[in-house]
Amino acid sequence: MTITAPDPAIDPTVVPTAGPQTKGPVRRALDRFFDNRAARAGLLIVVPILLAVSTYSLWWPFSPNAIDLRAINKGPSAIHWLGSDGVGRDVMARLLQGGRISLLVAVCSVAISIVIGFLVGAVASFGGRLVDGTVMRFVDLAMTLPPVIFLLVLASIAGTGIAPTILVISLLSWPVLSRMVRARLLELRERDFVVAARGMGAGLPHLLFRHGLPNCIDILVVYATLQIANAILLEAGLSFLGLGIAPPEASWGNMLNLARSTVVLEQYPWQWMFPGAVLVLTVLAINFIGDGLRDAFDPRSDLN
Amino acid sequence: MDAPFLTVRNLTKHFAPTAFSRGPVVRALDDISFDIARGQVVGLVGESGSGKTTIGRSVLRLIEPTSGEIRFDGVDITKLSAGPLVRQRRKMQYIFQDPFASLSPRMTIGQILTEGLDIQGIGSRRERRAKAERALAAVELPVDAYDRYAHEFSGGQRQRIGIARALTLEPEFIVADEPVSALDVSIQAQIINLLRDLQVRLGLTMLFISHDLAVVEYICDTVIVLYLGRIMEVAPAAALYARPQHPYTRALLSAIPSLDPLARQGRQVLKGDIPSPANPPTGCVFRTRCPVALDACAGIVPPLRATTSDGHLKACIRDDIA
Ligand SMILES: Nc1ncnc2c1ncn2[C@@H]1O[C@H](COP(=O)(O)OP(=O)(O)OP(=O)(O)O)[C@@H](O)[C@H]1O
Ligand code: SF4
Ligand SMILES: [Mg+2]
């Protein structure tokens, strides 16, 4: 007589044992993310920059607005590693503080645009036909405005400074997200497990936050990452034009603004080259991370 | 016998084109009426597109009917407002056809099974877990399924989880929408047996949807035959199989593969395709494929009426062929 192992396809009492703990879809996506070499490289660049920018006041002797009259327009040296600018401020300190501001503006504006984008998409998709139609026409309108002009008009109304810059950038970027969220939720609404939740009496908040949000997590994470890179560039662009973060506050954008003077451009390259390089490097690295996340969360990658 | 548990009267559902989609009105259901007594299993049979899912979902008010009345224990659920409807939902649950689409990929089995209790605010966290584990036991799954995700289970196991979810709220009435048609043949019988056991043990009333008359025969007390959104025939299961009255039911029954050569000889194969519900035939909707249609069949919509003493109802004008 032979004893055969129970066939898991037939015997319901055999549950697959995938290990001591089973992984949810988000965990599996993160595993795939860390397998991606470009994404790891991105992290390797972004994490040190984040650390440096957020802790520099603990270990860097100069403050971004302190003036050293003996070091006006001096190149990199043992004291001022990255040189100093036209009024004797330390470029390294300004670079770090500028990074702090640029990243703060980017993160806050993305957070705001995520909240707006998700809620608008949610209201449109679950609010019924009339609401959907109205809201989406409005979103279409916001998306057809030429972004540069929209940005300039908004910025000139809002003024300069950190808060207005955050506001301007977030107002420009949510419509794209709300469309993606709406499309995802419209599809989700018809899925059987959502119908099941309705059949058990689920109201709108339950449907949105227990089903809608978790099933949009991939969209939100990818959007957030790529949009942070975008927002850094927008901030730089605005500040370069003198509309974003106004001096003496430092930001990567307004440090680049110095390069508009041909004297600085030609004779003091350290004053604009370093912020330019860090900006490009950061944006590139974040894009790597974003692409890695997008691939990791791609629903097709769960199939194999 | 006491008053029926579920009464459906003149249920009609037309899917009208929306502002964003064009196209004709789809007459998915037309004037559907039937009763289900408490503890009974009623089968709903018809080809794809005949409106089975639309009936099942309308009965649970997951779809708003265009018109008609659906009474549960005397309560017309088509007129319930939001609050009472949420409470009513405890008593009626749905089992889905596709075991892969019906479980959220982002939730653990525990979260899926406690969701209904959560929504209804029943019990403490611990009690909910206990109820969910009891439901797992009822569908013969081990309790350590609780912390796993749906993707770790086979189709048959997922269907068991779907059944367990429907049981957690301890409903009185269940709509099972083709619960086995997406499963391997080897597993279908298991799930049917499970449903049958649960139905008997828990005293459930059930609307069992299938496109397969053979499946329905085993589990149902009464069978409703649907064609193009209309009821063709209603009969106790045994009577339907022994003495089908309606030409459509006969065609369906003779299409069941049989080893009996005599049965094979008398086999009728339905000609043509099922017409579009956007543009159904006038009169009897079956007349375009009916092997015994008369000219008169185009003129009147045959009413569903009793023709014999064995509980048969049929919607056909020809009594001479029975
Ligand atoms: N939301 C909808 N909008 C428009 N038409 C619909 C909608 N839902 C169903 N229909 C139509 O209504 C008719 C009945 O559909 P239903 O899903 O009830 O059929 P069914 O008998 O369950 O079929 P199946 O065996 O394929 O599940 C079909 O013609 C279908 O195209
Ligand atoms: S009414 Fe006429 S067409 Fe319809 S089923 Fe009876 S015989 Fe056939
Ligand atoms: Mg169906």
Side-chain angles (χ1 to χ4, degrees):
Chain A
M1 221 182 111
T2 52
I3 297 168
T4 49
D7 180 355
I10 306 264
D11 187 348
T13 58
V14 177
V15 160
T17 41
Q21 63 181 23
T22 55
K23 290 175 177 176
V26 175
R27 275 291 304 278
R28 277 177 286 136
L30 289 181
D31 284 353
R32 281 195 296 273
F33 173 75
F34 285 110
D35 279 346
N36 180 329
R37 209 175 295 171
R40 279 204 310 262
L43 273 186
L44 228 54
I45 294 169
V46 167
V47 171
I49 289 178
L50 272 181
L51 277 178
V53 156
S54 50
T55 63
Y56 80 91
S57 45
L58 301 176
W59 49 266
W60 189 245
F62 300 98
S63 86
N65 288 324
I67 291 171
D68 181 352
L69 290 174
R70 285 160 306 166
I72 288 178
N73 285 333
K74 288 273 161 62
S77 66
I79 309 167
H80 299 289
W81 290 2
L82 302 184
S84 54
D85 69 3
V87 285
R89 293 174 299 193
D90 181 60
V91 170
M92 175 82 163
R94 288 189 72 72
L95 188 68
L96 290 163
Q97 173 63 20
R100 201 182 259 193
I101 299 298
S102 291
L103 292 174
L104 178 81
V105 167
V107 169
C108 290
S109 64
V110 169
I112 293 175
S113 64
I114 281 192
V115 173
I116 301 179
F118 179 76
L119 289 180
V120 170
V123 165
S125 53
F126 276 86
R129 254 174 239 162
L130 195 68
V131 179
D132 187 24
T134 321
V135 169
M136 290 326 284
R137 291 300 82 77
F138 190 70
V139 169
D140 286 346
L141 184 72
M143 284 180 73
T144 45
L145 294 172
V148 177
I149 296 173
F150 185 50
L151 201 65
L152 292 182
V153 170
L154 262 182
S156 59
I157 296 171
T160 60
I162 295 180
T165 309
I166 291 176
L167 189 77
V168 167
I169 296 178
S170 40
L171 284 186
L172 185 76
S173 31
W174 64 265
V176 190
L177 178 65
S178 69
R179 289 201 133 189
M180 295 191 287
V181 167
R182 170 179 173 270
R184 173 64 62 87
L185 292 184
L186 276 181
E187 181 220 318
L188 188 75
R189 217 178 46 166
E190 307 300 328
R191 298 274 288 277
D192 283 351
F193 61 86
V194 175
V195 175
R198 280 205 290 129
M200 296 185 292
L204 193 58
H206 180 97
L207 294 179
L208 276 189
F209 293 105
R210 292 287 292 279
H211 291 288
L213 197 54
N215 283 289
C216 286
I217 201 82
D218 52 339
I219 295 181
L220 298 183
V221 168
V222 172
Y223 170 84
T225 338
L226 297 177
Q227 186 59 29
I228 280 181
N230 211 356
I232 292 175
L233 290 175
L234 279 177
E235 182 277 327
L238 280 177
S239 302
F240 182 81
L241 295 173
L243 285 167
I245 309 295
E249 186 66 84
S251 85
W252 289 345
N254 72 22
M255 290 178 81
L256 283 172
N257 190 3
L258 293 177
R260 286 205 301 183
S261 133
T262 35
V263 182
V264 173
L265 187 69
E266 288 169 6
Q267 297 181 10
Y268 314 126
W270 60 88
Q271 292 180 11
W272 57 267
M273 226 144 60
F274 290 116
V278 176
L279 180 77
V280 169
L281 201 65
T282 310
V283 169
L284 213 59
I286 294 179
N287 274 313
F288 280 158
I289 297 177
D291 286 343
L293 287 170
R294 182 164 47 205
D295 292 345
F297 277 108
D298 186 336
R300 274 161 300 181
S301 50
D302 245 347
L303 297 180
N304 40 48
Chain B
M1 227 165 77
D2 45 9
F5 176 66
L6 173 73
T7 315
V8 175
R9 285 292 170 268
N10 314 109
L11 175 63
T12 299
K13 176 68 189 178
H14 295 171
F15 289 104
T18 66
F20 304 103
S21 70
R22 46 193 80 240
V25 174
V26 175
R27 298 163 175 276
L29 298 178
D30 228 325
D31 201 19
I32 300 286
S33 300
F34 61 92
D35 294 336
I36 304 183
R38 191 179 286 277
Q40 224 195 1
V41 181
V42 169
L44 187 55
V45 183
E47 287 167 279
S48 182
S50 55
K52 305 181 295 291
T53 298
T54 308
I55 291 186
R57 295 200 176 182
S58 300
V59 161
L60 297 194
R61 213 175 143 187
L62 290 167
I63 291 176
E64 291 296 329
T66 306
S67 65
E69 216 179 77
I70 297 158
R71 288 186 178 279
F72 259 97
D73 253 347
V75 183
D76 185 354
I77 63 156
T78 59
K79 300 205 169 60
L80 283 185
S81 59
L85 181 62
V86 169
R87 253 164 284 130
Q88 177 70 32
R89 291 203 179 283
R90 287 183 197 182
K91 300 185 193 164
M92 46 196 216
Q93 288 298 307
Y94 202 89
I95 295 171
F96 294 84
Q97 172 174 1
D98 180 354
F100 290 87
S102 68
L103 305 179
S104 169
R106 307 237 171 244
M107 290 162 90
T108 63
I109 304 308
Q111 286 169 329
I112 289 171
L113 293 181
T114 52
E115 188 179 13
L117 299 166
D118 226 6
I119 292 169
Q120 295 282 349
I122 296 171
S124 65
R125 188 177 283 260
R126 175 124 44 86
E127 286 161 0
R128 286 176 203 164
R129 182 169 185 138
K131 273 180 194 277
E133 287 178 348
R134 245 176 289 143
L136 277 177
V139 297
E140 294 156 17
L141 283 175
V143 283
D144 68 358
Y146 194 87
D147 292 312
R148 297 181 181 278
Y149 287 87
H151 70 86
E152 297 172 62
F153 295 89
S154 67
Q157 289 171 328
R158 283 164 164 251
Q159 196 55 292
R160 286 171 192 268
I161 295 165
I163 295 170
R165 168 176 60 194
L167 296 178
T168 50
L169 284 174
E170 296 165 23
E172 299 166 32
F173 176 69
I174 284 185
V175 175
D177 188 355
E178 307 204 37
V180 297
S181 57
L183 302 177
D184 284 355
V185 180
S186 59
I187 300 166
Q188 290 191 350
Q190 286 183 9
I191 299 290
I192 297 275
N193 283 332
L194 175 71
L195 278 172
R196 178 85 218 176
D197 287 351
L198 289 169
Q199 187 268 329
V200 172
R201 190 148 58 84
L202 305 174
L204 295 170
T205 308
M206 194 140 85
L207 181 63
F208 187 95
I209 298 175
S210 178
H211 61 259
D212 183 354
L213 270 170
V215 168
V216 165
E217 178 174 18
Y218 173 65
I219 193 170
C220 298
D221 305 305
T222 301
V223 179
I224 299 171
V225 179
L226 200 65
Y227 182 81
L228 216 58
R230 305 250 175 100
I231 294 181
M232 298 289 107
E233 180 164 6
V234 181
L240 187 88
Y241 290 92
R243 294 172 298 282
Q245 301 281 315
H246 195 282
Y248 179 56
T249 316
R250 290 185 182 178
L252 281 183
L253 279 174
S254 74
I256 294 177
S258 168
L259 292 174
D260 176 2
L262 284 177
R264 258 188 287 175
Q265 274 176 11
R267 192 157 169 176
Q268 304 166 291
V269 179
L270 280 181
K271 52 184 157 79
D273 285 329
I274 190 167
S276 160
N279 184 19
T282 55
C284 174
V285 284
F286 185 54
R287 75 180 160 82
T288 53
R289 297 168 81 196
C290 182
V292 293
L294 305 173
D295 288 345
C297 299
I300 57 159
V301 178
L304 192 64
R305 67 213 159 89
T307 47
T308 56
S309 56
D310 60 359
H312 252 96
L313 299 178
K314 76 166 176 181
C316 174
I317 56 169
R318 291 197 64 169
D319 291 336
D320 50 322
I321 55 161

